[in-house]
Amino acid sequence: AAICRYWPECALERLAPGYAGVRPKLGSPQAFADDFMIQSAAAHGCTGLVNLFGIESPGLTACLALAQEVMAQLGLTDSLA
């Protein structure tokens, strides 16, 4: 019924409960975990491998910037500009 306050024409029979999730991250109040991480050969020692960890919503909205960073990590020409 609350939606009808701002959308009076909404037919209530069209509505159904939905899932509202929690996106848990490892960390503590003293040291919160990063939202995501880009890991290159400097961190793991495997030339040509770039790991992208925890890429969720930020990755979807910043995919071109992430691609440019991966290309830079691999020493490739930036053709996304």
Side-chain angles (χ1 to χ4, degrees):
I3 195 170
C4 291
R5 288 196 302 263
Y6 58 89
W7 187 13
E9 297 83 23
C10 179
L12 294 181
E13 63 272 5
R14 293 178 58 197
L15 301 177
Y19 176 73
V22 175
R23 197 173 93 185
K25 296 290 181 181
L26 296 176
S28 69
Q30 295 76 30
F32 286 104
D34 292 334
D35 198 27
F36 62 91
M37 178 183 5
I38 300 172
Q39 186 186 65
S40 67
H44 55 63
C46 186
T47 302
L49 175 64
V50 178
N51 290 316
L52 303 172
F53 295 110
I55 307 294
E56 297 164 1
S57 177
L60 298 176
T61 57
C63 62
L64 292 178
L66 288 168
Q68 288 174 332
E69 178 61 25
V70 169
M71 291 174 67
Q73 295 276 338
L74 295 172
L76 300 174
T77 304
D78 181 5
S79 61
L80 298 175

